[in-house]
Amino acid sequence: METKEIKDISVKELSDLADINRGTFYLHYNDIYDMLEKMEDELFVEFNEILDRTLTAEVSSSEATLQEVFAFLERHKAFARATMGPHGDLAFVNRMKSLVKERIYDILDVSDLNQDLDYIEAFIISGCIGVIETWLNHPTPKPPEEIASICNDLLRKGLRLM
């Protein structure tokens, strides 16, 4: 997916690349799309577990949550880069945006911002996804702790200006 659209990837090509036979592939997946969906589902389960754990901790902070999120993305960097790249899966990106939208109120205190929430949500979500995409594709990416701090500062400063 880093070099071609998912629709252009054949099971034979993928099986050859993974050094397995096609029969083994079909034991686990119906087709390429099924494989991608299952991989994405596994990532979202892990991602939600991180959010649940960090947001319900006694000393929850947006920066700690962001550090966990960026550490997670670093562990799955190749997959995240492929799914969010030019040949990626728009459904994955939209699913990620929806999840961020659902959980943004757990991460940041925006309770005092009762006006224009649709615009604030769009700004935060697009900003976070943009930072992630830039970080994933940067030739010398910053460590997760550093990029989490930068992202946290950007979000907090942006909300304070409101």
Side-chain angles (χ1 to χ4, degrees):
M1 286 178 60
E2 285 188 338
T3 59
K4 58 169 67 175
E5 302 284 334
I6 185 90
K7 67 181 177 53
D8 297 326
I9 301 172
S10 70
V11 171
K12 179 178 178 0
E13 177 183 12
L14 188 61
S15 298
D16 289 347
L17 187 64
D19 197 26
I20 61 169
N21 66 47
R22 288 179 5 171
T24 302
F25 177 90
Y26 285 115
L27 281 174
H28 301 280
Y29 309 108
N30 296 326
D31 56 24
I32 295 288
Y33 297 100
D34 182 46
M35 180 197 69
L36 179 61
E37 182 180 344
K38 287 179 178 171
M39 290 174 70
E40 289 175 355
D41 287 346
E42 287 177 26
L43 283 180
F44 274 96
V45 166
E46 184 180 346
F47 190 69
N48 269 309
E49 287 171 356
I50 289 168
L51 293 177
D52 289 342
R53 184 181 72 251
T54 60
L55 295 174
T56 57
E58 282 186 30
V59 185
S60 176
S61 78
S62 58
E63 188 164 342
T65 300
L66 288 167
Q67 283 180 11
E68 290 276 345
V69 167
F70 279 101
F72 162 80
L73 289 168
E74 186 173 59
R75 284 192 305 277
H76 302 288
K77 192 171 198 168
F79 185 79
R81 186 184 295 143
T83 54
M84 295 179 77
H87 303 290
D89 183 8
L90 186 58
F92 175 79
V93 175
N94 287 334
R95 191 172 170 192
M96 183 179 279
K97 285 180 177 181
S98 293
L99 181 60
V100 171
K101 184 176 180 176
E102 286 173 26
R103 305 299 295 261
I104 197 70
Y105 298 106
D106 297 332
I107 298 169
L108 296 170
D109 182 19
V110 292
S111 56
D112 58 331
L113 302 173
N114 56 10
Q115 59 186 1
D116 301 323
L117 280 179
D118 290 343
Y119 297 107
I120 294 167
E121 286 174 357
F123 177 80
I124 291 170
I125 293 164
S126 296
C128 288
I129 298 297
V131 168
I132 290 168
E133 289 173 332
T134 301
W135 179 70
L136 287 171
N137 293 304
H138 200 280
T140 55
K142 295 186 178 297
E145 302 80 24
E146 201 172 323
I147 196 67
S149 178
I150 291 168
C151 195
N152 188 57
D153 288 347
L154 290 169
L155 289 169
R156 296 224 170 266
K157 286 176 185 172
L159 291 175
R160 251 183 293 187
L161 296 174
M162 304 287 304

